[in-house]
Amino acid sequence: MTHGEAAATGRVVVCTRGQNEGTASVGAEEALSLGRKLATSLGARLCWLVLGPLPEAEVEKAGSFGVDDIDRIEDTRLDGFSPDAWVAALAAYCQQESPAIVIFSQTPEVRLVAPRLAGRLGAGVVMNTVDVSVGAEGGLEATASAYGGDTRMVYELSGAPSYVVALTTSGLPAEPVEGSPTRPKCRSIAPDLSGVDERIRVIEPARAEGPRLEEADIIVSGGRGLGSPENYKLIEQLAEVLGGLAGASRPIVDDGWVDSSRQVGLTGRITRPTLYLAAGISGASQHMAGCCAAKTIVAINRDPDAAIFRYARYGIVGDCLEILPELIRAVKQ
Amino acid sequence: MRIVVCVKEVLDPDAVNNYALAGRLEIGEDGKSLTQTTIPRLMNGFDEQALEAALRLRDAGAECRIGVISVGRDPAKILKHAAALGADEIAAYPTEDPSPDYHVVAGVLAAYVRSSGGADLVLCGRQASDDDQAVVPALICEALEVPLVPNARAVERVNDGFRITRVTPDGDEVVEVSGPAVVTVSNELGEPRYPTAARKIAARRMKPEVISRQTLSLTDDDLRPRVVARRQFVPAVQGSCEFLRGETPGELSDALVERLRQDGVIA
Ligand SMILES: Cc1cc2nc3c(=O)[nH]c(=O)nc-3n(C[C@H](O)[C@H](O)[C@H](O)COP(=O)(O)OP(=O)(O)OC[C@H]3O[C@@H](n4cnc5c(N)ncnc54)[C@H](O)[C@@H]3O)c2cc1C
Ligand SMILES: Nc1ncnc2c1ncn2[C@@H]1O[C@H](COP(=O)(O)O)[C@@H](O)[C@H]1O
């Protein structure tokens, strides 16, 4: 490993997976904004740890978010699905650098890696975090969503030498710092991963088909209110005329109407489209966890008291089987 | 083969959703527990499916003993349910704390696995429907130094290891591990079975083995929390929905499309 000059202990580290030129890392800006806020209150340095490539534009962006240091780990062993290598690399890094807190933006990979890292280090861990702040007694407090979002739990982070938190992408602001940007000090770190033997062998890789809901700008989702599997084609048709993708709530996935890759929600896809149109979906917290970051939510539901209307910008009270064909017509006009 | 399934008692999430919608979720005097005593307590849904995965391995011909363990205030009820479904051993670790620290829970579960003869497979739910954390299985895998395979929809025995079909954002992925592992189970596994009447009666006579700090030889350090749940609150959801007007589905649709075009949301 390369040793920087007197590595500061107690740094705030924001960790993301590296990106190729032209693609932004989802959630990085929110995580950096929170990291900056914490580093300032703790009087600590803010470090952005990137696993993988980091385009020049991102280095500039780091400056505008007040990053003090950029540490990079690049190793081909970290490519693809390699949780053992990830945990080993991050644990080696944390053992050397002793950060006070490591902040991730929550992705499916992070869901797997972050708590294992905490287990390896003996660190405390909180997932689904919506905020971290310095509490009344000067210690850190993490607020996380619970019951799918029906409630929030506030966890006191004390008693462990360090902490690992993962932020849900929705809800946190991304705020560049005021004033002139910092000029982050860049380091390349090369933990020795030669001894890592990936214990999970991929026999058949997942084959992503077509564009992903996570990246969609417009999503039309259907739920149990569609009544029967054939009616899902109305959802697909409306999605198509809008140039968007079709999503679903969990019950119609569980009942085999649509493939599980369409499930939006806490245990499905976490999306953030411009437009999310939900038809025949009640708006349970666990569903909303996957779409409440949408800019505009539209709901079609027979029940005027359905929870979904609490999140919606526009609502239509009515039978979605009558409304959907008319909507398709109106959009085409 | 020995399989250990970890099950947690939770408040019925559908009932919690309904109370939340009605604006009637209340936090008790301790500042962190939901007080509605009318909300049923049951086995976490994904944990029921984890147990189902174990039972399917047995149905597929694997010779196995299935042990089920729960840490909680009163785990006896869900453990009886597990016994009625086909668990061979049930073990309870009672706690006073309504929301014990995940590291402590995982430490207890890992210590139970070790002290009860080890396990070829530890099955957990993908997450608990109350805290949604999905950290306990990862902490168990690190404590036992075995791999963690999350979000399984199917688990098969292959030689001394397992073949797991797991749900990923890019579709299903098939992976193999060649030895013991912690596997978490997702809802895609499908409906868990119901206990038969005969098994329910037989299960009534089955008493959980009560384990404790002493029987597991846990140290102060093992029981030291690293994250302490302090408060729970109900976030405000600000509704500002504009209900569109119209006499017919056609008028309502036209009104909506017009608004979305005005707002620049659609072309
Ligand atoms: C731990 C956990 C994780 C979960 N994860 C997810 C997840 O990732 N994604 C997810 O979606 N769910 C998830 N759920 C399930 C979630 O709690 C709800 O049960 C689910 O979202 C409800 O789906 P739904 O709205 O389609 O069905 P329902 O709740 O049955 O609602 C159907 C709605 O359709 C309306 N309706 C009926 N007929 C019509 C009609 N003709 N026209 C218009 N409206 C009509 C009804 O008024 C009702 O509001 C999870 C649950 C748990 C406990
Ligand atoms: N108190 C507990 N007792 C037994 N198993 C648990 C307990 N808490 C969590 N688990 C297991 O760990 C999984 C994930 O829980 P969590 O990390 O709390 O989301 C659950 O689905 C259970 O299989």
Side-chain angles (χ1 to χ4, degrees), chain A residues 23 29 36 62 117-118 125 157 166 173 211 215 313 321 328:
Chain A
T23 56
E29 295 184 0
R36 183 64 262 164
L117 173 65
V125 59
L157 308 186
E215 278 120 48
R313 174 72 193 87
L321 300 181
I328 295 167

Side-chain angles (χ1 to χ4, degrees), chain A residues 26-45:
Chain A
V26 175
E29 295 184 0
E30 289 88 342
L32 290 173
S33 304
L34 178 70
R36 183 64 262 164
K37 182 187 91 174
L38 283 180
T40 304
S41 2
L42 296 172
R45 288 177 78 83

